[in-house]
Amino acid sequence: MKRFLKSYFRSFFIIAAFILINFYIFLDLVKIEEQYSILAYKLAGVNIVFMSLIVTVVEMIVYHWSVKKPLGRIIDGIKRFMTGRFREKIETFQKTDLDEFNQIITGLNEMADELSYMEAIRTDFIANVSHEMKTPLSVIQNYSVLLQTPNLLEEKRQKYARSIVWQTKKMSQMFSNILKLSKLENQKFFPNVENYNLGEQLCECMLLYEEVWEEKKMKIETDLEENVIVCQDRELLSQVWINLISNAVKFTQEGDTISLKLRKEEENVIVTIQDTGCGMDENVLKNIFYKFYQGDTSHAMPGNGLGLPLVKSILNACEGTIEVHSTPGQGSRFTVILNGRG
């Protein structure tokens, strides 16, 4: 607004001065004797053309420095971003009368930072998926060759076959998650709601990892309110609990504790899954719901960064929310809030 007013008053004073000068010149010329009246009108016309030319030149110079040059800098920056050079930021202007252009430049630079970040995650995802596929494909190939061994013992044949089945299930699950995430984000997946007991579902999902948490000698604490009925998509929500419990088991050390709580408060149902594992710092917390992001940069833990983005998308489809609290070295707490209708 300030820049607009300055531009307005500048143009106003230029035009006003132009009119006043010509008006006074005309008054002086009409005082000339009658025989010189034609010359007076010609001089007045020439003066008007001359002053108009000066005003036009001034406005062109002002337009070049206040509009064309800033737009040129912005367009050059956009062209760099279009070629993937996101690190080459657009330089802002020092002049205060170009604050509006600085706001545009700041927004474009922030967009470039986001695009650069997403490009890095995409590249990392491709590397992760390649790594995740390479291992099972190698296992499948090797065991398939071994299955062709003549006079192979039945025990070994069964072992190789089970390994092949396990690896194919692992790959199938990864691609299934990718497809589900894509459908949810593109709103091509419509929840199939039904009334069911949420406490029973949570217990079933927890028991899927019984062998793992028993092997790691973990302590499992449950506090589940009875007869909590929800009207939601049973299959979709099971993916939420499986992913959250899987993460808790995966990142919790031997002998640590995982707690599972369910309670109903007025119209909402609240599920809390908490562990005493490694926890997350602020940087990881800010990014865990981005697709393909993995807080474990060493990739020592299995995974491809799709679990929590899938959880987030499912809860959005189910009109639910998720909150995360975590402290490095002290564990994490995931709280899911759902509408308790049903």
Side-chain angles (χ1 to χ4, degrees):
M1 185 65 182
K2 183 178 178 181
R3 182 172 177 271
F4 170 78
L5 290 174
K6 288 177 65 176
S7 178
Y8 171 80
F9 283 114
R10 181 183 61 215
S11 299
F12 170 78
F13 285 121
I14 291 174
I15 294 172
F18 165 73
I19 294 173
L20 285 172
I21 291 171
N22 280 278
F23 181 74
Y24 283 116
I25 291 174
F26 179 77
L27 288 179
D28 289 336
L29 290 174
V30 294
K31 295 177 183 178
I32 302 175
E33 295 181 7
E34 186 176 349
Q35 62 267 32
Y36 298 109
S37 60
I38 295 176
L39 177 61
Y41 286 120
K42 288 182 179 179
L43 290 173
V46 171
N47 183 66
I48 290 172
V49 172
F50 178 72
M51 294 300 295
S52 298
L53 180 62
I54 292 175
V55 171
T56 302
V57 172
V58 171
E59 283 299 315
M60 287 179 65
I61 294 173
V62 171
Y63 171 77
H64 175 78
W65 287 100
S66 64
V67 178
K68 190 174 181 179
K69 188 175 181 181
L71 285 177
R73 183 182 294 186
I74 292 172
I75 291 171
D76 289 341
I78 292 173
K79 288 179 179 178
R80 291 197 301 271
F81 296 159
M82 290 174 64
T83 58
R85 293 148 62 189
F86 301 119
R87 296 182 181 276
E88 299 180 20
K89 299 295 187 294
I90 306 173
E91 186 180 353
T92 55
F93 297 94
Q94 300 299 322
K95 295 181 179 180
T96 56
D97 59 344
L98 296 177
D99 285 343
E100 288 84 356
F101 287 110
N102 283 338
Q103 291 176 18
I104 296 173
I105 290 172
T106 300
L108 289 171
N109 286 336
E110 290 176 355
M111 180 189 70
D113 287 337
E114 187 70 16
L115 289 172
S116 177
Y117 177 75
M118 293 305 297
E119 177 66 18
I121 291 180
R122 185 187 68 83
T123 303
D124 192 43
F125 167 72
I126 293 173
N128 291 338
V129 171
S130 300
H131 175 75
E132 292 293 326
M133 289 181 61
K134 184 178 180 180
T135 301
L137 285 174
S138 297
V139 172
I140 292 171
Q141 183 180 18
N142 292 336
Y143 282 135
S144 297
V145 171
L146 291 173
L147 282 173
Q148 300 176 37
T149 304
N151 303 320
L152 183 67
L153 295 176
E154 180 64 19
E155 182 181 351
K156 288 188 176 181
R157 189 180 68 82
Q158 291 291 338
K159 177 184 177 181
Y160 299 158
R162 284 195 299 270
S163 296
I164 291 173
V165 170
W166 167 251
Q167 296 298 335
T168 54
K169 284 183 177 180
K170 183 179 177 181
M171 292 179 62
S172 176
Q173 182 64 39
M174 180 179 66
F175 289 118
S176 177
N177 284 341
I178 293 174
L179 290 174
K180 285 178 183 177
L181 192 55
S182 177
K183 287 182 179 179
L184 286 166
E185 290 184 340
N186 291 291
Q187 298 182 345
K188 294 180 180 179
F189 196 101
F190 301 97
N192 180 26
V193 298
E194 60 177 305
N195 290 319
Y196 70 94
N197 191 309
L198 183 57
E200 292 180 358
Q201 184 184 48
L202 289 170
C203 289
E204 291 171 359
C205 293
M206 178 62 82
L207 288 172
L208 291 174
Y209 296 91
E210 181 179 10
E211 183 178 345
V212 181
W213 46 260
E214 282 187 348
E215 182 181 346
K216 296 177 73 173
K217 300 178 182 179
M218 295 179 181
K219 300 175 184 177
I220 306 299
E221 298 177 352
T222 58
D223 182 10
L224 307 178
E225 187 174 326
E226 296 182 356
N227 299 320
V228 175
I229 306 298
V230 294
C231 183
Q232 297 285 354
D233 189 306
R234 183 194 296 262
E235 182 180 353
L236 279 181
L237 278 187
S238 69
Q239 293 297 315
V240 172
W241 316 133
I242 287 172
N243 274 290
L244 294 180
I245 294 171
S246 172
N247 282 344
V249 172
K250 180 166 61 175
F251 293 105
T252 300
Q253 302 300 317
E254 184 174 340
D256 284 344
T257 303
I258 295 176
S259 65
L260 176 63
K261 297 180 181 179
L262 167 63
R263 67 182 188 278
K264 189 168 184 178
E265 293 184 358
E266 298 179 352
E267 296 298 321
N268 292 327
V269 170
I270 301 174
V271 177
T272 304
I273 299 174
Q274 185 170 358
D275 63 69
T276 57
C278 60
M280 297 174 283
D281 59 29
E282 291 185 5
N283 183 58
V284 175
L285 281 174
K286 288 190 299 184
N287 298 296
I288 55 174
F289 292 112
Y290 280 107
K291 286 184 295 184
F292 321 135
Y293 178 81
Q294 289 183 276
D296 177 27
T297 56
S298 67
H299 306 301
M301 297 290 185
N304 45 50
L306 292 174
L308 289 178
L310 181 61
V311 166
K312 183 74 171 179
S313 296
I314 290 173
L315 291 175
N316 287 339
C318 296
E319 299 180 356
T321 60
I322 184 168
E323 299 174 357
V324 188
H325 299 278
S326 185
T327 304
Q330 298 182 23
S332 305
R333 183 175 72 251
F334 288 82
T335 303
V336 175
I337 303 174
L338 297 168
N339 191 310
R341 62 184 183 276

PDB file of all heavy atoms in Angstrom, residues 205-206 208-209 212-213 216 218 238-252 258 273 275 301-303 307-308 311 334:
ATOM      1  N   CYS A 205      -3.905 -56.673  17.003  1.00  0.00           N
ATOM      2  CA  CYS A 205      -2.731 -56.087  16.350  1.00  0.00           C
ATOM      3  C   CYS A 205      -1.481 -56.221  17.231  1.00  0.00           C
ATOM      4  O   CYS A 205      -0.381 -56.480  16.722  1.00  0.00           O
ATOM      5  CB  CYS A 205      -2.989 -54.617  16.021  1.00  0.00           C
ATOM      6  SG  CYS A 205      -4.255 -54.349  14.753  1.00  0.00           S
ATOM      7  N   MET A 206      -1.651 -56.051  18.523  1.00  0.00           N
ATOM      8  CA  MET A 206      -0.516 -56.202  19.441  1.00  0.00           C
ATOM      9  C   MET A 206      -0.012 -57.640  19.450  1.00  0.00           C
ATOM     10  O   MET A 206       1.203 -57.890  19.462  1.00  0.00           O
ATOM     11  CB  MET A 206      -0.923 -55.765  20.843  1.00  0.00           C
ATOM     12  CG  MET A 206       0.179 -55.922  21.889  1.00  0.00           C
ATOM     13  SD  MET A 206       1.640 -54.913  21.549  1.00  0.00           S
ATOM     14  CE  MET A 206       1.079 -53.326  22.211  1.00  0.00           C
ATOM     15  N   LEU A 208       0.069 -59.689  17.097  1.00  0.00           N
ATOM     16  CA  LEU A 208       0.811 -60.022  15.885  1.00  0.00           C
ATOM     17  C   LEU A 208       2.318 -59.967  16.116  1.00  0.00           C
ATOM     18  O   LEU A 208       3.093 -60.632  15.421  1.00  0.00           O
ATOM     19  CB  LEU A 208       0.433 -59.054  14.750  1.00  0.00           C
ATOM     20  CG  LEU A 208      -0.979 -59.172  14.176  1.00  0.00           C
ATOM     21  CD1 LEU A 208      -1.233 -58.060  13.167  1.00  0.00           C
ATOM     22  CD2 LEU A 208      -1.184 -60.537  13.513  1.00  0.00           C
ATOM     23  N   TYR A 209       2.731 -59.173  17.116  1.00  0.00           N
ATOM     24  CA  TYR A 209       4.157 -58.993  17.400  1.00  0.00           C
ATOM     25  C   TYR A 209       4.565 -59.685  18.709  1.00  0.00           C
ATOM     26  O   TYR A 209       5.607 -59.377  19.261  1.00  0.00           O
ATOM     27  CB  TYR A 209       4.487 -57.498  17.460  1.00  0.00           C
ATOM     28  CG  TYR A 209       4.263 -56.814  16.131  1.00  0.00           C
ATOM     29  CD1 TYR A 209       3.037 -56.235  15.838  1.00  0.00           C
ATOM     30  CD2 TYR A 209       5.257 -56.778  15.165  1.00  0.00           C
ATOM     31  CE1 TYR A 209       2.814 -55.625  14.611  1.00  0.00           C
ATOM     32  CE2 TYR A 209       5.047 -56.174  13.944  1.00  0.00           C
ATOM     33  CZ  TYR A 209       3.816 -55.603  13.669  1.00  0.00           C
ATOM     34  OH  TYR A 209       3.588 -55.009  12.456  1.00  0.00           O
ATOM     35  N   VAL A 212       7.980 -61.279  18.672  1.00  0.00           N
ATOM     36  CA  VAL A 212       9.097 -60.319  18.679  1.00  0.00           C
ATOM     37  C   VAL A 212       9.310 -59.744  20.062  1.00  0.00           C
ATOM     38  O   VAL A 212      10.426 -59.709  20.577  1.00  0.00           O
ATOM     39  CB  VAL A 212       8.843 -59.181  17.665  1.00  0.00           C
ATOM     40  CG1 VAL A 212      10.019 -58.198  17.657  1.00  0.00           C
ATOM     41  CG2 VAL A 212       8.627 -59.753  16.279  1.00  0.00           C
ATOM     42  N   TRP A 213       8.208 -59.253  20.709  1.00  0.00           N
ATOM     43  CA  TRP A 213       8.421 -58.642  22.015  1.00  0.00           C
ATOM     44  C   TRP A 213       8.736 -59.643  23.111  1.00  0.00           C
ATOM     45  O   TRP A 213       9.313 -59.295  24.136  1.00  0.00           O
ATOM     46  CB  TRP A 213       7.299 -57.670  22.428  1.00  0.00           C
ATOM     47  CG  TRP A 213       5.854 -58.041  22.263  1.00  0.00           C
ATOM     48  CD1 TRP A 213       5.021 -57.656  21.270  1.00  0.00           C
ATOM     49  CD2 TRP A 213       5.045 -58.801  23.161  1.00  0.00           C
ATOM     50  NE1 TRP A 213       3.747 -58.132  21.467  1.00  0.00           N
ATOM     51  CE2 TRP A 213       3.730 -58.838  22.626  1.00  0.00           C
ATOM     52  CE3 TRP A 213       5.295 -59.474  24.364  1.00  0.00           C
ATOM     53  CZ2 TRP A 213       2.670 -59.505  23.244  1.00  0.00           C
ATOM     54  CZ3 TRP A 213       4.242 -60.139  24.969  1.00  0.00           C
ATOM     55  CH2 TRP A 213       2.957 -60.151  24.413  1.00  0.00           C
ATOM     56  N   LYS A 216      12.539 -60.135  22.648  1.00  0.00           N
ATOM     57  CA  LYS A 216      13.304 -58.985  23.157  1.00  0.00           C
ATOM     58  C   LYS A 216      13.023 -58.729  24.638  1.00  0.00           C
ATOM     59  O   LYS A 216      13.533 -57.762  25.218  1.00  0.00           O
ATOM     60  CB  LYS A 216      12.968 -57.729  22.339  1.00  0.00           C
ATOM     61  CG  LYS A 216      13.397 -57.847  20.877  1.00  0.00           C
ATOM     62  CD  LYS A 216      12.983 -56.626  20.055  1.00  0.00           C
ATOM     63  CE  LYS A 216      13.823 -55.419  20.369  1.00  0.00           C
ATOM     64  NZ  LYS A 216      13.533 -54.280  19.451  1.00  0.00           N
ATOM     65  N   MET A 218      10.462 -57.668  26.252  1.00  0.00           N
ATOM     66  CA  MET A 218       9.849 -56.366  26.523  1.00  0.00           C
ATOM     67  C   MET A 218       8.702 -56.506  27.514  1.00  0.00           C
ATOM     68  O   MET A 218       8.065 -57.558  27.615  1.00  0.00           O
ATOM     69  CB  MET A 218       9.307 -55.750  25.213  1.00  0.00           C
ATOM     70  CG  MET A 218      10.362 -55.412  24.202  1.00  0.00           C
ATOM     71  SD  MET A 218       9.592 -54.737  22.697  1.00  0.00           S
ATOM     72  CE  MET A 218      11.032 -54.475  21.693  1.00  0.00           C
ATOM     73  N   SER A 238      -6.706 -50.867  11.097  1.00  0.00           N
ATOM     74  CA  SER A 238      -5.766 -51.912  11.501  1.00  0.00           C
ATOM     75  C   SER A 238      -4.367 -51.585  10.982  1.00  0.00           C
ATOM     76  O   SER A 238      -3.362 -51.871  11.648  1.00  0.00           O
ATOM     77  CB  SER A 238      -6.214 -53.276  10.971  1.00  0.00           C
ATOM     78  OG  SER A 238      -6.091 -53.353   9.559  1.00  0.00           O
ATOM     79  N   GLN A 239      -4.290 -50.942   9.809  1.00  0.00           N
ATOM     80  CA  GLN A 239      -2.990 -50.530   9.274  1.00  0.00           C
ATOM     81  C   GLN A 239      -2.342 -49.466  10.165  1.00  0.00           C
ATOM     82  O   GLN A 239      -1.126 -49.437  10.323  1.00  0.00           O
ATOM     83  CB  GLN A 239      -3.157 -49.982   7.855  1.00  0.00           C
ATOM     84  CG  GLN A 239      -3.587 -51.006   6.824  1.00  0.00           C
ATOM     85  CD  GLN A 239      -2.558 -52.103   6.656  1.00  0.00           C
ATOM     86  OE1 GLN A 239      -1.352 -51.831   6.572  1.00  0.00           O
ATOM     87  NE2 GLN A 239      -3.005 -53.342   6.615  1.00  0.00           N
ATOM     88  N   VAL A 240      -3.167 -48.604  10.758  1.00  0.00           N
ATOM     89  CA  VAL A 240      -2.649 -47.579  11.674  1.00  0.00           C
ATOM     90  C   VAL A 240      -2.007 -48.236  12.885  1.00  0.00           C
ATOM     91  O   VAL A 240      -0.865 -47.951  13.251  1.00  0.00           O
ATOM     92  CB  VAL A 240      -3.784 -46.622  12.119  1.00  0.00           C
ATOM     93  CG1 VAL A 240      -3.283 -45.686  13.226  1.00  0.00           C
ATOM     94  CG2 VAL A 240      -4.288 -45.822  10.933  1.00  0.00           C
ATOM     95  N   TRP A 241      -2.747 -49.145  13.539  1.00  0.00           N
ATOM     96  CA  TRP A 241      -2.239 -49.779  14.769  1.00  0.00           C
ATOM     97  C   TRP A 241      -1.028 -50.656  14.466  1.00  0.00           C
ATOM     98  O   TRP A 241      -0.063 -50.672  15.248  1.00  0.00           O
ATOM     99  CB  TRP A 241      -3.336 -50.610  15.433  1.00  0.00           C
ATOM    100  CG  TRP A 241      -4.673 -49.942  15.493  1.00  0.00           C
ATOM    101  CD1 TRP A 241      -5.877 -50.471  15.161  1.00  0.00           C
ATOM    102  CD2 TRP A 241      -4.942 -48.588  15.936  1.00  0.00           C
ATOM    103  NE1 TRP A 241      -6.875 -49.554  15.328  1.00  0.00           N
ATOM    104  CE2 TRP A 241      -6.339 -48.393  15.815  1.00  0.00           C
ATOM    105  CE3 TRP A 241      -4.161 -47.547  16.391  1.00  0.00           C
ATOM    106  CZ2 TRP A 241      -6.947 -47.191  16.158  1.00  0.00           C
ATOM    107  CZ3 TRP A 241      -4.764 -46.340  16.724  1.00  0.00           C
ATOM    108  CH2 TRP A 241      -6.137 -46.171  16.606  1.00  0.00           C
ATOM    109  N   ILE A 242      -1.063 -51.383  13.345  1.00  0.00           N
ATOM    110  CA  ILE A 242       0.055 -52.258  12.992  1.00  0.00           C
ATOM    111  C   ILE A 242       1.332 -51.445  12.784  1.00  0.00           C
ATOM    112  O   ILE A 242       2.412 -51.815  13.266  1.00  0.00           O
ATOM    113  CB  ILE A 242      -0.283 -53.087  11.732  1.00  0.00           C
ATOM    114  CG1 ILE A 242      -1.305 -54.178  12.084  1.00  0.00           C
ATOM    115  CG2 ILE A 242       0.970 -53.717  11.133  1.00  0.00           C
ATOM    116  CD1 ILE A 242      -1.841 -54.930  10.882  1.00  0.00           C
ATOM    117  N   ASN A 243       1.218 -50.313  12.078  1.00  0.00           N
ATOM    118  CA  ASN A 243       2.396 -49.485  11.827  1.00  0.00           C
ATOM    119  C   ASN A 243       2.943 -48.872  13.112  1.00  0.00           C
ATOM    120  O   ASN A 243       4.162 -48.858  13.336  1.00  0.00           O
ATOM    121  CB  ASN A 243       2.053 -48.375  10.828  1.00  0.00           C
ATOM    122  CG  ASN A 243       2.186 -48.820   9.379  1.00  0.00           C
ATOM    123  OD1 ASN A 243       3.284 -49.043   8.889  1.00  0.00           O
ATOM    124  ND2 ASN A 243       1.062 -48.971   8.717  1.00  0.00           N
ATOM    125  N   LEU A 244       2.057 -48.358  13.969  1.00  0.00           N
ATOM    126  CA  LEU A 244       2.511 -47.719  15.201  1.00  0.00           C
ATOM    127  C   LEU A 244       3.112 -48.733  16.171  1.00  0.00           C
ATOM    128  O   LEU A 244       4.144 -48.471  16.799  1.00  0.00           O
ATOM    129  CB  LEU A 244       1.343 -46.976  15.861  1.00  0.00           C
ATOM    130  CG  LEU A 244       0.797 -45.770  15.088  1.00  0.00           C
ATOM    131  CD1 LEU A 244      -0.365 -45.130  15.845  1.00  0.00           C
ATOM    132  CD2 LEU A 244       1.897 -44.732  14.826  1.00  0.00           C
ATOM    133  N   ILE A 245       2.469 -49.898  16.300  1.00  0.00           N
ATOM    134  CA  ILE A 245       3.000 -50.936  17.195  1.00  0.00           C
ATOM    135  C   ILE A 245       4.310 -51.489  16.641  1.00  0.00           C
ATOM    136  O   ILE A 245       5.261 -51.736  17.394  1.00  0.00           O
ATOM    137  CB  ILE A 245       1.963 -52.063  17.386  1.00  0.00           C
ATOM    138  CG1 ILE A 245       0.740 -51.529  18.142  1.00  0.00           C
ATOM    139  CG2 ILE A 245       2.576 -53.240  18.141  1.00  0.00           C
ATOM    140  CD1 ILE A 245      -0.427 -52.494  18.194  1.00  0.00           C
ATOM    141  N   SER A 246       4.363 -51.667  15.318  1.00  0.00           N
ATOM    142  CA  SER A 246       5.584 -52.164  14.682  1.00  0.00           C
ATOM    143  C   SER A 246       6.757 -51.231  14.956  1.00  0.00           C
ATOM    144  O   SER A 246       7.863 -51.685  15.287  1.00  0.00           O
ATOM    145  CB  SER A 246       5.364 -52.298  13.175  1.00  0.00           C
ATOM    146  OG  SER A 246       6.569 -52.594  12.510  1.00  0.00           O
ATOM    147  N   ASN A 247       6.529 -49.922  14.842  1.00  0.00           N
ATOM    148  CA  ASN A 247       7.594 -48.955  15.118  1.00  0.00           C
ATOM    149  C   ASN A 247       8.028 -48.999  16.582  1.00  0.00           C
ATOM    150  O   ASN A 247       9.214 -48.911  16.895  1.00  0.00           O
ATOM    151  CB  ASN A 247       7.132 -47.541  14.757  1.00  0.00           C
ATOM    152  CG  ASN A 247       7.181 -47.293  13.263  1.00  0.00           C
ATOM    153  OD1 ASN A 247       7.807 -48.031  12.521  1.00  0.00           O
ATOM    154  ND2 ASN A 247       6.500 -46.249  12.820  1.00  0.00           N
ATOM    155  N   ALA A 248       7.037 -49.116  17.475  1.00  0.00           N
ATOM    156  CA  ALA A 248       7.363 -49.171  18.903  1.00  0.00           C
ATOM    157  C   ALA A 248       8.236 -50.385  19.217  1.00  0.00           C
ATOM    158  O   ALA A 248       9.214 -50.296  19.961  1.00  0.00           O
ATOM    159  CB  ALA A 248       6.075 -49.202  19.728  1.00  0.00           C
ATOM    160  N   VAL A 249       7.871 -51.529  18.628  1.00  0.00           N
ATOM    161  CA  VAL A 249       8.645 -52.752  18.859  1.00  0.00           C
ATOM    162  C   VAL A 249      10.034 -52.644  18.227  1.00  0.00           C
ATOM    163  O   VAL A 249      11.044 -53.041  18.821  1.00  0.00           O
ATOM    164  CB  VAL A 249       7.888 -53.976  18.291  1.00  0.00           C
ATOM    165  CG1 VAL A 249       8.770 -55.216  18.337  1.00  0.00           C
ATOM    166  CG2 VAL A 249       6.601 -54.210  19.067  1.00  0.00           C
ATOM    167  N   LYS A 250      10.086 -52.064  17.036  1.00  0.00           N
ATOM    168  CA  LYS A 250      11.344 -51.989  16.283  1.00  0.00           C
ATOM    169  C   LYS A 250      12.380 -51.092  16.970  1.00  0.00           C
ATOM    170  O   LYS A 250      13.563 -51.421  17.019  1.00  0.00           O
ATOM    171  CB  LYS A 250      11.059 -51.492  14.871  1.00  0.00           C
ATOM    172  CG  LYS A 250      12.289 -51.378  13.999  1.00  0.00           C
ATOM    173  CD  LYS A 250      11.920 -51.223  12.527  1.00  0.00           C
ATOM    174  CE  LYS A 250      11.104 -49.981  12.259  1.00  0.00           C
ATOM    175  NZ  LYS A 250      10.859 -49.790  10.810  1.00  0.00           N
ATOM    176  N   PHE A 251      11.908 -49.943  17.504  1.00  0.00           N
ATOM    177  CA  PHE A 251      12.849 -48.965  18.052  1.00  0.00           C
ATOM    178  C   PHE A 251      12.985 -49.037  19.579  1.00  0.00           C
ATOM    179  O   PHE A 251      13.575 -48.151  20.181  1.00  0.00           O
ATOM    180  CB  PHE A 251      12.428 -47.555  17.637  1.00  0.00           C
ATOM    181  CG  PHE A 251      12.554 -47.312  16.163  1.00  0.00           C
ATOM    182  CD1 PHE A 251      11.438 -47.267  15.347  1.00  0.00           C
ATOM    183  CD2 PHE A 251      13.806 -47.154  15.580  1.00  0.00           C
ATOM    184  CE1 PHE A 251      11.555 -47.051  13.979  1.00  0.00           C
ATOM    185  CE2 PHE A 251      13.934 -46.933  14.214  1.00  0.00           C
ATOM    186  CZ  PHE A 251      12.800 -46.887  13.410  1.00  0.00           C
ATOM    187  N   THR A 252      12.423 -50.082  20.178  1.00  0.00           N
ATOM    188  CA  THR A 252      12.553 -50.270  21.617  1.00  0.00           C
ATOM    189  C   THR A 252      13.561 -51.381  21.896  1.00  0.00           C
ATOM    190  O   THR A 252      13.500 -52.454  21.285  1.00  0.00           O
ATOM    191  CB  THR A 252      11.189 -50.625  22.245  1.00  0.00           C
ATOM    192  OG1 THR A 252      10.275 -49.556  21.988  1.00  0.00           O
ATOM    193  CG2 THR A 252      11.313 -50.804  23.745  1.00  0.00           C
ATOM    194  N   ILE A 258       6.572 -51.113  26.449  1.00  0.00           N
ATOM    195  CA  ILE A 258       5.607 -50.552  25.500  1.00  0.00           C
ATOM    196  C   ILE A 258       4.241 -50.549  26.180  1.00  0.00           C
ATOM    197  O   ILE A 258       3.832 -51.557  26.762  1.00  0.00           O
ATOM    198  CB  ILE A 258       5.539 -51.379  24.199  1.00  0.00           C
ATOM    199  CG1 ILE A 258       6.876 -51.308  23.449  1.00  0.00           C
ATOM    200  CG2 ILE A 258       4.411 -50.886  23.301  1.00  0.00           C
ATOM    201  CD1 ILE A 258       6.919 -52.178  22.207  1.00  0.00           C
ATOM    202  N   ILE A 273      -0.090 -45.068  22.143  1.00  0.00           N
ATOM    203  CA  ILE A 273       0.944 -46.106  22.052  1.00  0.00           C
ATOM    204  C   ILE A 273       2.263 -45.453  22.430  1.00  0.00           C
ATOM    205  O   ILE A 273       2.733 -44.540  21.747  1.00  0.00           O
ATOM    206  CB  ILE A 273       1.009 -46.702  20.635  1.00  0.00           C
ATOM    207  CG1 ILE A 273      -0.332 -47.361  20.283  1.00  0.00           C
ATOM    208  CG2 ILE A 273       2.149 -47.721  20.534  1.00  0.00           C
ATOM    209  CD1 ILE A 273      -0.422 -47.847  18.853  1.00  0.00           C
ATOM    210  N   ASP A 275       6.369 -45.901  24.049  1.00  0.00           N
ATOM    211  CA  ASP A 275       7.496 -46.808  24.273  1.00  0.00           C
ATOM    212  C   ASP A 275       8.597 -46.063  25.027  1.00  0.00           C
ATOM    213  O   ASP A 275       8.562 -44.844  25.162  1.00  0.00           O
ATOM    214  CB  ASP A 275       8.041 -47.354  22.943  1.00  0.00           C
ATOM    215  CG  ASP A 275       8.598 -46.261  22.040  1.00  0.00           C
ATOM    216  OD1 ASP A 275       9.644 -45.680  22.385  1.00  0.00           O
ATOM    217  OD2 ASP A 275       7.992 -45.983  20.988  1.00  0.00           O
ATOM    218  N   MET A 301      17.804 -50.168  10.478  1.00  0.00           N
ATOM    219  CA  MET A 301      16.488 -50.760  10.714  1.00  0.00           C
ATOM    220  C   MET A 301      15.762 -50.962   9.390  1.00  0.00           C
ATOM    221  O   MET A 301      15.876 -50.139   8.487  1.00  0.00           O
ATOM    222  CB  MET A 301      15.656 -49.850  11.621  1.00  0.00           C
ATOM    223  CG  MET A 301      16.227 -49.663  13.018  1.00  0.00           C
ATOM    224  SD  MET A 301      16.097 -51.191  13.965  1.00  0.00           S
ATOM    225  CE  MET A 301      16.684 -50.621  15.564  1.00  0.00           C
ATOM    226  N   PRO A 302      14.997 -52.060   9.265  1.00  0.00           N
ATOM    227  CA  PRO A 302      14.233 -52.268   8.034  1.00  0.00           C
ATOM    228  C   PRO A 302      13.134 -51.234   7.906  1.00  0.00           C
ATOM    229  O   PRO A 302      12.578 -50.764   8.896  1.00  0.00           O
ATOM    230  CB  PRO A 302      13.661 -53.685   8.220  1.00  0.00           C
ATOM    231  CG  PRO A 302      13.624 -53.896   9.703  1.00  0.00           C
ATOM    232  CD  PRO A 302      14.813 -53.153  10.245  1.00  0.00           C
ATOM    233  N   GLY A 303      12.816 -50.872   6.676  1.00  0.00           N
ATOM    234  CA  GLY A 303      11.750 -49.903   6.444  1.00  0.00           C
ATOM    235  C   GLY A 303      12.075 -49.032   5.251  1.00  0.00           C
ATOM    236  O   GLY A 303      13.208 -48.983   4.773  1.00  0.00           O
ATOM    237  N   GLY A 307       5.469 -46.001   6.353  1.00  0.00           N
ATOM    238  CA  GLY A 307       4.523 -46.375   7.402  1.00  0.00           C
ATOM    239  C   GLY A 307       3.772 -45.194   8.008  1.00  0.00           C
ATOM    240  O   GLY A 307       2.536 -45.150   8.003  1.00  0.00           O
ATOM    241  N   LEU A 308       4.494 -44.200   8.531  1.00  0.00           N
ATOM    242  CA  LEU A 308       3.842 -43.059   9.182  1.00  0.00           C
ATOM    243  C   LEU A 308       3.104 -42.155   8.198  1.00  0.00           C
ATOM    244  O   LEU A 308       2.025 -41.645   8.535  1.00  0.00           O
ATOM    245  CB  LEU A 308       4.866 -42.273   9.995  1.00  0.00           C
ATOM    246  CG  LEU A 308       5.354 -42.989  11.268  1.00  0.00           C
ATOM    247  CD1 LEU A 308       6.415 -42.166  11.985  1.00  0.00           C
ATOM    248  CD2 LEU A 308       4.195 -43.280  12.209  1.00  0.00           C
ATOM    249  N   VAL A 311      -0.112 -43.857   7.835  1.00  0.00           N
ATOM    250  CA  VAL A 311      -0.921 -43.638   9.037  1.00  0.00           C
ATOM    251  C   VAL A 311      -1.610 -42.284   8.969  1.00  0.00           C
ATOM    252  O   VAL A 311      -2.817 -42.158   9.233  1.00  0.00           O
ATOM    253  CB  VAL A 311      -0.039 -43.728  10.308  1.00  0.00           C
ATOM    254  CG1 VAL A 311      -0.777 -43.168  11.523  1.00  0.00           C
ATOM    255  CG2 VAL A 311       0.380 -45.167  10.559  1.00  0.00           C
ATOM    256  N   PHE A 334       2.687 -41.782  20.724  1.00  0.00           N
ATOM    257  CA  PHE A 334       1.786 -41.461  19.627  1.00  0.00           C
ATOM    258  C   PHE A 334       0.355 -41.508  20.153  1.00  0.00           C
ATOM    259  O   PHE A 334      -0.070 -42.524  20.716  1.00  0.00           O
ATOM    260  CB  PHE A 334       1.952 -42.462  18.469  1.00  0.00           C
ATOM    261  CG  PHE A 334       3.238 -42.293  17.711  1.00  0.00           C
ATOM    262  CD1 PHE A 334       4.421 -42.852  18.203  1.00  0.00           C
ATOM    263  CD2 PHE A 334       3.274 -41.591  16.518  1.00  0.00           C
ATOM    264  CE1 PHE A 334       5.606 -42.714  17.510  1.00  0.00           C
ATOM    265  CE2 PHE A 334       4.464 -41.445  15.820  1.00  0.00           C
ATOM    266  CZ  PHE A 334       5.631 -42.009  16.311  1.00  0.00           C
TER     267      PHE A 334
END
